[in-house]
Amino acid sequence: MKTIELPETPRQLRRMLVRRLGIGALLVGSLAGGLAYWVESYRVEERTLEQAIAGVRHFESPAMQLAVSGEKGDGHSAISQLLTEEFVGIRVFAPNAEMLFDVWRPLPEALKEVARQQRHPWPIPPNSHSKRIPVAGEELVQVILPITANDGRLAGYVEGVSLVSRSALQERKQQIRWAALTASISVFMAAMLLYPLMSGLLSRTVALSSRLLESNLSLLRSLGNAIAKRDADTDAHNYRVTCYAITLAEAVGVDKETIAELVLGAFLHDVGKIGIPDQILLKPGRLTSEEFQVMQTHAVLGIEIVAGNPWLAGAEKTIRHHHERFDGKGYPDGLSGEVIPLAARIFALVDVFDALTSVRPYKPALSLDETLSIMEREVGQHFDPAIYAVFRQVAPMLYEQGQTRDHAQWILELKVMLERCFKMKTAPEGAATV
């Protein structure tokens, strides 16, 4: 049986929700911001290239046609007039990619040389080629455009070089950052708006879980009461031995899941006695060999009674194996050593301890020394030596509790332990009732 730890107080519930919602918002916000950064970077770069291509296409002028065709005229000066603060250079090539001439705005020679050294494919009409060239904190955008004559033949190529200034680059980076920041903030704002709704839903879920757990524990108590109707000694014994088992399990240091299984199994360990005939179950004297064989079937009958209930599945280990012995001479399966489930090995100790220290119709309660003397002879035979070593340390406390508490106090003690083991106090303030 797998248990799920729920918050014990409304404050813990809110903290858990804020923590998980915050982590989720941080992760999603980071992803959204990163995605927005990438998308906006791509969009800004594409816009820059599109603007550069559109600008170069304006160079498809009569002067450019004249310059590419190689005809005489003042095409060069006309082309020079096409240069702007943004378009800083124009290079004209023949159809065989031989450069005919270039025109530049006043520009550092280093920038011109970077543009001239670039290698690129020569596009086929009507395609174009574009490239971004970062250099010295600025950026050049190179566009290669094929020029066709009136008859559709390739007349040559024109290369336009644009300069993106530092201020324009900074503005572009700021635009990208704002897009990423806006996406991240939007995710966090959405998380804040969702918090009240999620808090309410989680509060109701926790409340329902708490009430479901209480219903299951009520079923547990009802089964225990049903056993008590058959055997008067079983009722008080169930409460004591379950509390003893929890104390010993915590002292041994077993995990919470095993303790939860042990609680259910300890309280229902004798549930199979419901199926034992009265003449055997209530017989005041010693049982015959045949009668004892019938009595031994209560371990298997108990499994049949809780079968089909997923919540009680963990109890089956203790119900079936609480009469196994460490030396393998127990029943019903003759298991030995650590093959016996841990919960059953823990329970076997406290079950015998309670039987020896309690008043029964056929015997008085034994003292602590008498009880431990009898049990120590069974170490390694009936009991797991390692668990008994821990039990020996808590036995005095258990004995004092058993001798001083009445049945009502044991019921209250078990209720407190169940709240601790199953985290029952989880219903938040103002939670919906069912």
Side-chain angles (χ1 to χ4, degrees):
M1 180 190 68
K2 186 172 181 59
T3 58
I4 299 176
E5 285 196 26
L6 297 174
E8 298 183 63
T9 65
R11 177 175 292 181
Q12 290 178 353
L13 175 66
R14 289 192 292 270
R15 285 179 179 174
M16 182 194 75
L17 180 60
V18 169
R19 182 172 60 252
R20 295 191 176 184
L21 197 59
I23 292 174
L26 180 62
L27 292 175
V28 175
S30 299
L31 289 174
L35 181 60
Y37 185 91
W38 181 84
V39 170
E40 190 61 24
S41 298
Y42 177 79
R43 290 176 57 189
V44 169
E45 291 171 1
E46 285 298 302
R47 283 198 301 269
T48 301
L49 293 176
E50 289 173 1
Q51 290 172 358
I53 293 172
V56 173
R57 288 199 179 278
H58 290 157
F59 296 161
E60 296 178 322
S61 61
M64 185 65 70
Q65 293 278 358
L66 183 64
V68 172
S69 66
E71 297 179 14
K72 303 294 183 181
D74 63 348
H76 292 201
S77 60
I79 291 175
S80 299
Q81 296 176 7
L82 297 176
L83 296 176
T84 65
E85 187 173 333
E86 181 179 356
F87 291 103
V88 296
I90 300 175
R91 303 169 70 197
V92 178
F93 298 85
N96 62 359
E98 178 186 354
M99 191 181 77
L100 300 178
F101 66 89
D102 59 351
V103 180
W104 297 89
R105 266 193 54 226
L107 199 67
E109 194 62 33
L111 292 180
K112 295 181 184 179
E113 194 59 29
V114 168
R116 288 169 177 155
Q117 292 177 356
Q118 297 301 311
R119 297 292 180 265
H120 53 76
W122 298 98
I124 300 175
N127 300 319
S128 62
H129 170 77
S130 57
K131 182 179 181 180
R132 295 170 51 248
I133 310 169
V135 53
E138 297 179 305
E139 185 176 272
L140 296 176
V141 181
Q142 180 187 56
V143 178
I144 309 297
L145 184 69
I147 301 296
T148 57
N150 294 331
D151 57 4
R153 291 182 300 102
L154 178 65
Y157 301 92
V158 60
E159 173 188 321
V161 179
S162 303
L163 175 64
V164 182
S165 64
R166 294 173 185 261
S167 60
L169 285 174
Q170 188 63 31
E171 182 180 349
R172 189 172 72 182
K173 290 178 181 179
Q174 189 68 20
Q175 181 180 354
I176 294 171
R177 291 195 193 102
W178 272 112
L181 182 61
T182 300
S184 300
I185 292 176
S186 298
V187 171
F188 279 99
M189 291 299 295
M192 292 178 62
L193 293 174
L194 286 174
Y195 172 79
L197 175 62
M198 296 181 67
S199 178
L201 291 175
L202 185 57
S203 298
R204 179 172 176 80
T205 299
V206 171
L208 291 173
S209 298
S210 178
R211 286 165 175 77
L212 177 60
L213 177 59
E214 178 59 39
S215 298
N216 286 329
L217 293 174
S218 295
L219 171 62
L220 186 71
R221 289 189 287 267
S222 296
L223 284 173
N225 293 336
I227 305 169
K229 293 298 181 182
R230 298 292 318 284
D231 183 359
D233 291 332
T234 300
D235 189 27
H237 169 68
N238 279 347
Y239 283 90
R240 288 195 306 270
V241 81
T242 302
C243 292
Y244 290 163
I246 295 172
T247 300
L248 178 55
E250 291 177 338
V252 170
V254 302
D255 58 86
K256 295 180 180 180
E257 183 175 343
T258 300
I259 291 179
E261 293 176 347
L262 178 59
V263 169
L264 301 177
F267 200 80
L268 297 178
H269 70 282
D270 277 339
V271 68
K273 288 183 177 180
I274 294 175
I276 302 300
D278 286 349
Q279 64 269 25
I280 297 177
L281 181 66
L282 304 179
K283 184 177 179 177
R286 189 179 184 85
L287 298 178
T288 66
S289 177
E290 292 77 14
E291 290 172 335
F292 186 66
Q293 288 181 359
V294 175
M295 179 63 80
Q296 287 181 329
T297 63
H298 79 277
V300 177
L301 290 174
I303 296 297
E304 295 174 357
I305 290 172
V306 301
N309 187 324
W311 192 70
L312 296 178
E316 296 180 0
K317 298 175 183 177
T318 303
I319 294 173
R320 184 180 185 94
H321 300 297
H322 69 281
H323 283 296
E324 304 284 1
R325 292 171 55 95
F326 200 72
D327 59 9
K329 297 180 180 180
Y331 65 89
D333 300 316
L335 303 182
S336 63
E338 295 186 359
V339 176
I340 304 171
L342 177 59
R345 281 181 279 143
I346 291 174
F347 180 79
L349 271 164
V350 297
D351 189 31
V352 172
F353 176 79
D354 186 68
L356 294 175
T357 57
S358 302
V359 176
R360 296 293 171 87
Y362 51 87
K363 73 165 194 67
L366 300 183
S367 67
L368 177 61
D369 290 339
E370 292 173 317
T371 299
L372 294 179
S373 177
I374 293 172
M375 294 182 70
E376 283 173 2
R377 293 197 293 269
E378 293 294 320
V379 175
Q381 300 178 54
H382 194 162
F383 309 126
D384 183 328
I387 297 177
Y388 181 82
V390 179
F391 168 78
R392 185 67 181 77
Q393 299 174 13
V394 299
M397 178 184 67
L398 299 181
Y399 182 81
E400 181 182 358
Q401 293 173 349
Q403 300 304 309
T404 58
R405 289 177 177 172
D406 58 22
H407 187 42
Q409 289 174 314
W410 279 117
I411 292 176
L412 180 61
E413 176 65 15
L414 182 59
K415 182 176 184 295
V416 173
M417 286 185 165
L418 290 178
E419 289 174 349
R420 184 173 74 249
C421 293
F422 289 96
K423 304 296 184 184
M424 290 171 56
K425 291 182 177 179
T426 56
E429 298 171 358
T433 57
V434 292

